[in-house]
Amino acid sequence: MKNKWMQHLMKGALILSLSSLIAKILSAVYRVPFQNMVGNTGFYVYQQIYPIYGIGMTFALSGFPVFISKLIAEQDGMPAQREVTKRSFVLLAFFGVLIFGFLQIGAVPIAAMMSDVQLAPIIRSVSFMFLTMPFLATTRGYFQGTFNMVPTAVSQVTEQLIRVGVILVAAYLSIKVPWGVYKMGTWAMSGATFGAIGGTLVLARAFHKQFFYAPDSREVIHESWTRKFEVYGRLLKRFFIEGGSICLFASMIVLLQLVDSFTVKRGLVQSGVPENLAKGLKGIYDRGQPLVQLGLVISTAFSSALLPSLTHAYQQRRHYEFYRIAQEMVHTSSALSVAATSGLIALMPFINRLLFGDTSGNTALCMYMLSIILVALINSYNSVLQSQNEFRLTTVALFGGLLVKIIFNEWFVRHFGTTGSSFITALSLLAVFLIIYAKSSEPMKKALFEKGFIFKLLIICLIMSFVVGLTTSVFGFNPVTLGRLKAGVVTVFVAAIGAGTFIFLALRWHLFTIREWLSIPYGRRFLKWLSKRNQK
């Protein structure tokens, strides 16, 4: 019976992880055709407001639902679970209306702080999604807390499909109809609200059936008004401290992007760059965001997939197993993120040409790619802390990193352009990681250096980058003169050589243990193929 229950939990976690993976891929991939249709300035207009949407999405998708699911799992019986769900909805409804009102009233001042008052309608457009956030977050949290992951997974993919569809239709219409980039941005950002409505409709049916038609759904918990105020007060405190910590950490990258929205374009203009050119440069700089998202997809999936195993080992007080799984997670996610970053940097001119049609901003984009390594490491170490119910440290670390970004970003943009902003983003993430690393347990501090792991990894990736560079040089590939199709062929060809080099050296120098190879996607098949090949 216990094994069946664990299988049910793992199946649910797999479904949710898969839907999150699909949603993240959709969220990253659509920006390439979108940027190609609307150009650098159109992309700038959309990306300036995107962080506001990103924060709302975090609240509704990966922040508050996780916290609410924890609250519900703590309750004894369905009546208590329903009661905490209702209270969570009331608190989030108040919060959602507050944010909606703030964005509606403050749209012009916020746009002015971004040095572009024409962004105000786009801010108002995205504000409507915060009205759906309370229901989305509460119902997803309820289903996850009762171990029913399917409604959350379906709503998540549905929401992203509708949003991406609206964005691409708005971009297409802006080409066919004489829309300005700001009108296009307003309609594109409305995709967030349409997607949220779609996700709400998916959840509403399942929620109504499970919440209101369960056998004991009519049981009511009677409490005095004084008691209710006390309970709401305690719940509000937990929402603020625990829920806020989870939300802040989940939106770490988006918060750094929000700082960019207020400082990059303004810093460029202050350095003497003309207004329209500054918008275009910011749009080029924003190309890095989908690349970082795609680079993080696999390493983030590792952290999510191994978190239940970590938590279970910690609760059972199996410390050896706990740190073995933690080390496995750190090794695999850091290795894949360093390899992905090295490959992206080495091939950036070709990738830039393939995806965006030119090679502008290569230096800034290469610097931005360092974020992949740092976020992967932060997520790995944070997963260990999360499994130990440690939230305060990550919150302190995040605020430390944000402070670095806020203080230094505009100055570096004025003196070094968008490359300066990329550097400060990497420096901010490094500050977050170092704070978390400094306060981690001794086994976690040693995880990166176990058997010379980090040194082997860096040398392997340096050799891989050298091989990639040598290949492009020997064959005389020039990204400036190549067409987009040829740039794509070159990217795939050289990336395959780079991946082969990495795998060969990883095997040769025993970078991974057998268990770690097995945890990598298709690692089991690869080892079986290698074993058969060696037997011949």
Side-chain angles (χ1 to χ4, degrees), residues 240-451:
F240 183 74
I241 296 172
E242 295 177 46
S245 173
I246 294 170
C247 286
L248 281 171
F249 197 84
S251 57
M252 176 175 58
I253 285 286
V254 180
L255 289 170
L256 295 176
Q257 291 171 8
L258 186 62
V259 178
D260 283 333
S261 293
F262 286 101
T263 56
V264 172
K265 188 235 172 184
R266 187 171 62 197
L268 289 170
V269 171
Q270 287 175 358
S271 70
V273 176
E275 185 89 9
N276 287 333
L277 180 57
K279 293 177 183 179
L281 289 173
K282 174 62 165 57
I284 292 168
Y285 168 74
D286 286 331
R287 295 176 184 181
Q289 294 176 21
L291 295 176
V292 168
Q293 275 187 285
L294 285 173
L296 282 169
V297 160
I298 296 176
S299 61
T300 303
F302 272 116
S303 299
S304 302
L306 290 173
L307 185 57
S309 303
L310 268 177
T311 305
H312 185 67
Y314 182 76
Q315 289 173 346
Q316 298 294 316
R317 297 186 179 182
R318 297 202 294 266
H319 297 297
Y320 175 79
E321 183 184 349
F322 175 82
Y323 285 113
R324 179 185 57 74
I325 296 170
Q327 180 177 299
E328 181 182 308
M329 179 173 62
V330 169
H331 281 191
T332 50
S333 62
S334 60
L336 290 173
S337 63
V338 173
T341 301
S342 302
L344 284 168
I345 290 173
L347 289 170
M348 183 55 69
F350 299 95
I351 294 169
N352 207 0
R353 177 68 172 161
L354 165 67
L355 299 180
F356 304 108
D358 58 45
T359 56
S360 302
N362 283 328
T363 305
L365 293 174
C366 286
M367 183 71 71
Y368 202 89
M369 292 308 102
L370 295 175
S371 304
I372 297 171
I373 301 171
L374 293 164
V375 173
L377 285 170
I378 291 166
N379 284 338
S380 295
Y381 278 77
N382 180 58
S383 294
V384 176
L385 293 170
Q386 249 189 306
S387 65
Q388 297 172 317
N389 294 315
E390 175 61 68
F391 299 102
R392 195 167 296 176
L393 174 59
T394 54
T395 305
V396 171
L398 178 60
F399 276 117
L402 274 175
L403 201 60
V404 171
K405 182 74 173 171
I406 291 166
I407 292 170
F408 296 109
N409 204 61
E410 194 168 325
W411 188 91
F412 269 77
V413 171
R414 285 202 303 268
H415 290 82
F416 305 103
T418 52
T419 304
S421 185
S422 294
F423 172 75
I424 293 301
T425 295
L427 190 65
S428 302
L429 292 169
L430 180 62
V432 175
F433 173 66
L434 289 177
I435 293 169
I436 292 174
Y437 182 82
K439 296 295 181 180
S440 295
S441 61
E442 283 303 314
M444 289 308 298
K445 285 181 180 178
K446 293 175 182 177
L448 279 172
F449 301 95
E450 195 79 29
K451 296 178 182 178

Side-chain angles (χ1 to χ4, degrees), residues 477-498:
F477 297 135
N478 187 346
V480 177
T481 57
L482 285 175
R484 295 181 74 168
L485 182 60
K486 287 183 179 178
V489 173
V490 169
T491 300
V492 173
F493 171 65
V494 180
I497 291 173

